[in-house]
Amino acid sequence: MMCAAVAGQRGLRVLLIEHSPKVGEKIRISGGGRCNFTNVHTRPENFISENPQFARSALARYTPSDFVALVRKHRIAFHEKHKGQLFCDGSSDQIIAMLRAECDAGNVQWWIPCAVRSVQHNGHQFNLQSDVGDLSARRVVIATGGMSIPKIGASDYGYRIARQFGLRIVEPRPALVPLVFDTAVWQPFSAMAGVSLEACVRAGAGRFDEDLLFTHRGLSGPAILQISSFWNPRQPIRIDLVPALAHADLSEQLITLKRSSRQAIANALITLLPHRLAEQWIAMSGIDAGGRIAAVPDSRLRDLAASLKDWQLTPSGTEGYRKAEVTRGGVATDELSQTTFEARRAPGLYFIGEVVDVTGWLGGYNFQWAWASGYAAGMAASNS
């Protein structure tokens, strides 16, 4: 919709084809129905790609301030919720209506619902066969997103078109997704579903200080969703359950408490961890949960502190595309122009948004990438 609106308002005849009965379903469900439509702190460093610099040009040419100006133009009230994340005060439907209004201003035509059966190029133009009818166009923009949340219409269609025209695909996989563990490994923690706490989670090059949530099958919450984009199969993740204290400080606090307290060790840990987690952690450590902290050797308290500061465990997988917020991977950036998003091997064919190998962090970054890449392609198509 962003690309169509930009191209249409600059004089091109634009047809927007959508295979689902409704447009903007990912917008509609975002942010609990209020749409986290951008992040004011957006930088290229907030994106994952084979080429981390690819996103720089588009993000510089269409910034969060530009999209906020559009939101203000349509008199949509919004607020900042957390770490630069902007949400509608009302409903995410307002963002969809805004984009449709911008398309209307560019006289964009719609075929919806309509499935495209084939896309061919005869050397001069693209010929499309669809449910509604056949058509020809000088330019075709693929903005089909990734495979996350198939129940709202997500599919691999964009990747199939890219492969048809000989473009390389970086292996797609679920991202911003909960992690799961083997049943036997997770059995001690399955009863803690619903327990949450702030933690520091690391994997690969990723590190995030956010809330972590225990589930029946594994871990979720913002910290886990963030790190899932950096996690690779068979790789452990590392969790600091007490990020507010350094390892030495935590050890010293436990030892100091030992010298001045007659309370049970489990009760001592409740000041640092949720009650259920504290009890389970003591049990896993082989310490009598009902025993007094004064009876625990200093060396055991140091080991306890170390385990809390560096909990290492290896997920068996993720909850998959059905619960993933985005898809990592996609059309390789070396196949596309960094400024126009046109395919180098197929002039006139563009790929934008999530279908490209550019994946943002949690918190509005992926929407900003959609707006920026759509704007860049719309400008480029109308200039060519």
Side-chain angles (χ1 to χ4, degrees):
M1 286 187 284
M2 174 62 98
C3 180
V6 170
Q9 290 179 28
R10 289 175 59 83
L12 288 189
R13 293 176 58 201
V14 181
L15 172 65
L16 197 155
I17 302 175
E18 167 61 56
H19 77 124
S20 296
K22 297 180 179 179
V23 297
E25 281 298 278
K26 266 202 171 179
I27 296 174
R28 195 183 311 278
I29 66 174
S30 164
R34 290 193 172 181
C35 188
N36 177 195
F37 56 80
T38 192
N39 192 299
V40 298
H41 302 310
T42 300
R43 301 169 300 158
E45 291 77 16
N46 301 123
F47 296 84
I48 305 164
S49 172
E50 271 191 350
N51 176 9
Q53 299 303 313
F54 181 83
R56 186 173 298 276
S57 174
L59 292 172
R61 285 181 289 148
Y62 195 86
T63 68
S65 295
D66 293 320
F67 193 77
V68 167
L70 186 62
V71 170
R72 291 187 188 278
K73 170 187 165 185
H74 287 262
R75 299 182 178 181
I76 299 173
F78 63 91
H79 60 279
E80 182 175 339
K81 186 174 182 181
H82 179 62
K83 295 185 177 181
Q85 301 171 18
L86 301 187
F87 289 76
C88 298
D89 287 356
S91 166
S92 54
D93 288 335
Q94 294 173 288
I95 299 296
I96 299 172
M98 177 190 78
L99 293 169
R100 292 205 67 153
E102 288 292 309
C103 285
D104 290 344
N107 297 313
V108 173
Q109 300 177 59
W110 299 76
W111 283 3
I112 176 174
C114 173
V116 176
R117 300 303 178 190
S118 71
V119 179
Q120 305 293 332
H121 193 265
N122 64 10
H124 302 286
Q125 63 186 12
F126 293 91
N127 297 313
L128 282 67
Q129 293 182 330
S130 79
D131 290 346
V132 173
D134 299 343
L135 68 145
S136 299
R138 295 283 299 278
R139 306 167 189 84
V140 172
V141 180
I142 305 295
T144 52
M147 295 188 288
S148 55
I149 319 181
K151 68 180 181 181
I152 62 172
S155 76
D156 66 346
Y157 184 81
Y159 309 134
R160 283 185 274 136
I161 294 296
R163 291 190 180 99
Q164 176 189 329
F165 285 89
L167 277 61
R168 183 172 68 90
I169 302 293
V170 176
E171 180 185 4
R173 64 180 193 176
L176 299 183
V177 62
L179 299 175
V180 298
F181 299 84
D182 289 333
T183 303
V185 171
W186 198 246
Q187 189 277 328
F189 303 101
S190 60
M192 285 191 293
V195 170
S196 65
L197 72 161
E198 185 176 347
C200 174
V201 185
R202 292 176 289 159
R207 173 184 171 142
F208 295 93
D209 292 273
E210 297 270 8
D211 286 347
L212 174 151
L213 173 69
F214 285 81
T215 71
H216 290 291
R217 288 165 42 86
L219 293 170
S220 187
I224 295 300
L225 298 185
Q226 293 278 38
I227 212 64
S228 70
S229 296
F230 293 83
W231 175 75
N232 292 309
R234 295 177 294 281
Q235 176 190 51
I237 61 172
R238 306 178 74 165
I239 303 175
D240 180 352
L241 292 168
V242 192
L245 293 173
H247 181 192
D249 294 336
L250 177 57
S251 296
E252 186 62 30
Q253 180 171 315
L254 291 174
I255 291 171
T256 299
L257 191 61
K258 166 186 174 176
R259 310 216 192 291
S260 62
S261 174
R262 297 175 60 82
Q263 67 185 148
I265 179 66
N267 290 336
L269 272 195
I270 289 172
T271 62
L272 301 170
L273 301 174
H275 186 276
R276 281 191 286 165
L277 180 57
E279 291 185 336
Q280 180 59 42
W281 208 263
I282 291 296
M284 287 171 47
S285 302
I287 301 173
D288 179 10
R292 293 178 179 176
I293 189 172
V296 181
D298 288 3
S299 61
R300 295 293 298 276
L301 292 177
R302 291 191 182 95
D303 290 344
L304 180 62
S307 69
L308 290 168
K309 293 295 293 181
D310 191 16
W311 182 26
Q312 298 186 37
L313 63 169
T314 302
S316 60
T318 75
E319 288 283 6
Y321 287 116
R322 68 188 181 91
K323 289 196 174 180
E325 295 198 13
V326 295
T327 302
R328 180 178 171 180
V331 179
T333 55
D334 58 9
E335 298 282 7
L336 308 174
S337 163
Q338 186 174 6
T339 55
T340 68
F341 291 79
E342 188 173 21
R344 301 184 190 282
R345 304 189 196 198
L349 182 63
Y350 302 74
F351 291 83
I352 60 174
E354 191 183 340
V355 75
V356 179
D357 175 36
V358 175
T359 305
W361 292 5
L362 183 73
Y365 298 103
N366 287 290
F367 274 133
Q368 185 58 37
W369 174 243
W371 319 140
S373 59
Y375 176 84
M379 292 290 289
S382 59
N383 287 337
S384 63

